[in-house]
Amino acid sequence: MNLQISSLFNALPGACAQGLIWGIMAIGVYITYKILDLADLTVDGTMCTGGAVCVVMLMSGHSIWFSMFCAFLAGMLAGLATGLLHTAMGIPAILAGILTQLSLYSVNLRILGGKANQAVSQDKYGLLVSLRWIRDVPFYRNTIFVVAVAVLLLVGLLYWFFGTELGCSIRATGSNANMSRAQGINTDFTKILGLMLSNGIVALASAFLSQYSGFVDINMGRGAIVVGLAAVIIGEVVFGRIHGNFAFRLLSVALGAIIYYIVMQTVMWLGLLGTNDNKLLSAIIVAVFLAIPYLREKYRGRAGKKGGVRHA
Amino acid sequence: MLEIREISKTFNAGTVNEKKALDHLSLRLEEGDFVTVIGGNGAGKSTMLNAVAGVWTVDEGSIFIDSVDVTKLAEYRRAKYLGRVFQDPMTGTAASMQIEENLALASRRGAMRTLKRGISRKEREIYRKKLQILDLGLEDRLTTKVGLLSGGQRQALTLLMATLKKPKLLLLDEHTAALDPKTAAKVLDATDRIVSQDRLTTLMITHNMKDAIVHGNRLVMMYEGHIIYDVSGEEKKRLQVSDLLHKFEEVSGGTFANDRMILN
């Protein structure tokens, strides 16, 4: 085996950029999984919808800003569909998400005009980010910088929103739905609103990702929920003990996504697994980070019972 | 203030678990009434409160609050008329949110929730003063997560939340049953103070007959989904626990002695 540390370092900026883009996606997942306490599987579909809408809009001559705004709206529509299936039709949230995700496959194909993928040229359409703009460009054109600014803006906006009366009612719904209704909160409405916001953000991440890779692919969202959860959970395990406010929690989710990509990149660099194995690898990483809090608690319990040394 | 007309509710209709929880129940509360509700397990006390709160809709009959027909109104829409405290201290508050955030949610009961700040500085001062009245030291812990509070503290907070915005009707569902006797007394004491201060119309379920006699101006006893005994004024003041036991044995054939109510 020929391990060259320089090749790992060369890959790190790319991992950072990708991690940040998936960090946006993970912030979307955080809204449903952590704030609303719903497991929303719609995002596997939305993670393609956003890119598809963005690319198709660009190719029909719209500006990058308008295209991305439409991608956001398309994601919100997907969230609305899941929300209505869940609240108005009484379908369990996880199943409602799966139904929307499945139907989005066909919808995405229609958006892409029946093609399974579509390339978009960096030079022709004035994209915001690209994997070619990681180095040797002015810093304000650097993809890492652009996405980092987007993440900070998003975190700021969400911090403001979840501090408003409306945002508080969404948080209350996730914390205790019975209490929320007793306090006059329409929990069906807040759930739908949360799902829409979440999927809108995921679609925005999808729009970034398709620009970054220079194409949109019908399968680009497959397993997205696992990556999103990985980022949320890694962020929690690594930064959870630091006392921070809501904005810090959101940032730690984005950082969790970067850590995830660096771990992935490192394992790839070790050469033990090929690119075909990366879905398996994602699942293993998530399983490990999901298990850490549980095992830590269990181990501490044992140590306590035996009267042994307590680990802080 | 509250009028319940002939309401009925059957759970799991058509199955082996069918249970007629409310059976043509009627009850009328005047403004300022403080009514205590007693009855054995399965008598329909909590079911009656849930029917008024709109947790589900009743099978027949109608419910009016302050002359407004709320029979078909969704739970969250009825909330503007009601303050509620539940038996389980976990039910009434959002554990992952701060004390002041919980209070702010409650103070907006029945109002549109907009993009204004979820909590203002002026509110904070009001909450601090209100919490002082509870005398639990919560006024210095406004930003503490409610999940870290004890059951008694959470019930007291829920009580404050239920009455922060003056409700037309206060519903207390055995709100001290899960607390130790000392804390229960403290929460009941706070209840009395708040109810008399704001002259709140109140419906309080309790399994403690002594409490049912001491508190409020009227007492009703439920059995098999309707009211079998209704006493108020001077007659209620003279009431003894033994009278209630006797009354219950009269209608039920003496199963009351096995019930947990006698333990209190």
Side-chain angles (χ1 to χ4, degrees):
Chain A
M1 226 166 18
N2 181 20
L3 293 181
Q4 292 229 296
I5 196 80
S6 63
S7 70
L8 176 62
F9 279 133
N10 278 335
L12 282 186
C16 276
Q18 262 194 314
L20 275 168
I21 292 172
W22 281 93
I24 296 176
M25 186 270 174
I27 287 171
V29 170
Y30 184 90
I31 291 173
T32 47
Y33 182 65
K34 277 287 162 187
I35 297 179
L36 266 184
D37 198 21
L38 289 177
D40 175 32
L41 298 183
T42 316
V43 294
D44 273 30
T46 330
M47 197 57 196
C48 173
T49 309
V53 168
C54 179
V55 166
V56 168
M57 295 279 293
L58 280 172
M59 293 179 70
S60 56
H62 294 283
S63 78
I64 182 70
W65 299 106
F66 186 62
S67 303
M68 291 194 60
F69 177 68
C70 289
F72 179 73
L73 288 185
M76 288 186 89
L77 273 180
L80 176 66
T82 302
L84 287 176
L85 286 173
H86 176 47
T87 58
M89 294 166 75
I91 300 170
I94 198 154
L95 207 50
I98 291 173
L99 289 174
T100 312
Q101 180 204 114
L102 185 68
S103 59
L104 277 178
Y105 188 86
S106 304
V107 173
N108 293 341
L109 274 175
R110 272 188 186 265
I111 295 172
L112 290 170
K115 287 188 279 187
N117 51 57
Q118 176 70 56
V120 59
S121 151
Q122 288 95 333
D123 311 312
K124 232 166 107 187
Y125 295 111
L127 304 186
L128 294 176
V129 296
S130 164
L131 50 81
R132 281 164 45 194
W133 301 332
I134 298 288
R135 46 181 88 88
D136 307 326
V137 285
F139 80 93
Y140 59 87
R141 291 292 291 149
N142 189 307
T143 286
I144 295 178
F145 175 78
V146 173
V147 185
V149 169
V151 167
L152 287 176
L153 276 177
L154 182 65
V155 168
L157 264 172
L158 290 177
Y159 180 66
W160 164 78
F161 175 71
F162 281 104
T164 64
E165 293 174 342
L166 192 61
C168 281
S169 68
I170 294 179
R171 285 163 57 211
T173 303
S175 183
N176 185 344
N178 283 325
M179 168 267 193
S180 302
R181 279 188 293 273
Q183 299 301 346
I185 293 167
N186 181 351
T187 50
D188 284 350
F189 173 73
T190 48
K191 279 181 192 167
I192 292 175
L193 194 61
L195 282 165
M196 288 175 74
L197 185 60
S198 164
N199 279 286
I201 291 169
V202 173
L204 206 58
S206 169
F208 270 118
L209 187 64
S210 59
Q211 294 174 55
Y212 177 81
S213 47
F215 66 91
V216 53
D217 184 278
I218 190 71
N219 287 319
M220 71 191 265
R222 183 167 290 177
I225 183 69
V226 177
V227 183
L229 284 179
V232 170
I233 292 154
I234 293 171
E236 203 162 69
V237 170
V238 177
F239 305 103
R241 297 186 174 201
I242 304 171
H243 192 78
N245 63 9
F246 181 68
F248 176 77
R249 294 279 155 251
L250 291 178
L251 270 184
S252 66
V253 169
L255 294 175
I258 296 175
I259 295 173
Y260 168 83
Y261 266 90
I262 290 174
V263 172
M264 283 286 275
Q265 206 63 253
T266 310
V267 178
M268 290 296 181
W269 169 74
L270 288 170
L272 301 173
L273 296 161
T275 27
N276 288 339
D277 300 320
N278 61 6
K279 300 276 186 212
L280 174 65
L281 184 58
S282 326
I284 291 173
I285 293 176
V286 175
V288 167
F289 276 95
L290 271 174
I292 286 176
Y294 172 74
L295 294 176
R296 198 155 54 188
E297 204 53 40
K298 197 172 157 185
Y299 176 69
R300 190 184 297 157
R302 286 240 178 98
K305 257 180 223 159
K306 282 182 194 162
V309 183
R310 268 172 203 271
H311 292 267
Chain B
M1 186 51 75
L2 169 70
E3 190 171 359
I4 302 174
R5 280 188 205 155
E6 297 274 318
I7 59 168
S8 296
K9 178 75 184 178
T10 304
F11 290 110
N12 305 314
T15 72
V16 284
N17 293 322
E18 183 171 304
K19 163 86 182 148
K20 197 164 182 111
L22 294 177
D23 188 7
H24 296 92
L25 169 86
S26 294
L27 179 68
R28 201 188 146 90
L29 263 64
E30 301 303 328
E31 189 161 357
D33 264 354
F34 183 170
V35 179
T36 55
V37 184
I38 56 169
N41 289 334
K45 309 183 297 292
S46 291
T47 313
M48 173 172 74
L49 247 58
N50 285 338
V52 173
V55 176
W56 24 254
T57 48
V58 291
D59 298 337
E60 50 181 324
S62 47
I63 300 167
F64 295 81
I65 300 172
D66 204 15
S67 311
V68 180
D69 186 351
V70 299
T71 316
K72 300 274 175 228
L73 221 52
E75 185 181 5
Y76 77 91
R77 284 192 190 276
R78 275 186 224 192
K80 73 170 162 195
Y81 305 114
L82 302 171
R84 290 161 70 190
V85 187
F86 312 86
Q87 180 173 358
D88 181 356
M90 301 299 157
T91 315
T93 46
S96 63
M97 297 175 82
Q98 301 165 354
I99 292 177
E100 58 175 27
E101 285 176 332
N102 272 275
L103 287 165
L105 282 169
S107 75
R108 285 159 180 76
R109 180 160 40 80
M112 263 285 281
R113 288 168 207 261
T114 64
L115 291 179
K116 281 196 287 241
R117 296 291 317 151
I119 178 164
S120 69
R121 189 170 301 170
K122 214 166 72 194
E123 279 178 79
R124 259 183 209 121
E125 273 320 300
I126 298 169
Y127 298 159
R128 204 186 298 277
K129 287 206 184 86
K130 293 257 182 193
L131 285 166
Q132 245 158 17
I133 301 170
L134 290 181
D135 193 24
L136 291 167
L138 295 180
E139 61 273 15
D140 302 318
R141 301 173 65 188
L142 279 176
T143 55
T144 301
K145 295 259 163 74
V146 170
L148 298 172
L149 303 184
S150 70
Q153 288 172 325
R154 283 178 80 158
Q155 282 308 69
L157 180 63
T158 311
L159 182 67
L160 186 57
M161 286 165 65
T163 54
L164 198 56
K165 189 168 185 186
K166 190 179 169 182
K168 299 253 185 234
L169 178 66
L170 179 62
L171 301 176
L172 308 171
D173 187 356
E174 294 204 43
H175 67 308
T176 59
L179 308 176
D180 65 82
K182 212 175 136 195
T183 317
K186 216 167 175 178
V187 171
L188 260 182
D189 188 49
T191 308
D192 260 347
R193 245 180 307 147
I194 291 173
V195 167
S196 63
Q197 219 168 55
D198 293 344
R199 293 192 31 77
L200 296 173
T201 312
T202 305
L203 204 49
M204 177 172 95
I205 298 178
T206 174
H207 63 260
N208 185 318
M209 283 188 268
K210 242 180 359 216
D211 286 344
I213 293 169
V214 172
H215 299 274
N217 64 333
R218 188 172 155 199
L219 180 152
V220 298
M221 185 189 282
M222 286 184 73
Y223 181 71
E224 290 189 340
H226 56 268
I227 287 163
I228 53 162
Y229 185 48
D230 187 340
V231 56
S232 56
E234 286 304 313
E235 198 187 340
K236 176 181 178 279
K237 280 183 193 155
R238 286 196 300 271
L239 216 53
Q240 300 287 321
V241 171
S242 57
D243 298 336
L244 290 177
L245 282 173
H246 183 71
K247 187 79 203 163
F248 189 85
E249 278 157 15
E250 209 176 279
V251 292
S252 68
T255 51
F256 213 41
N258 299 325
D259 221 71
R260 63 184 167 124
M261 287 174 79
I262 197 153
L263 297 173
N264 291 284

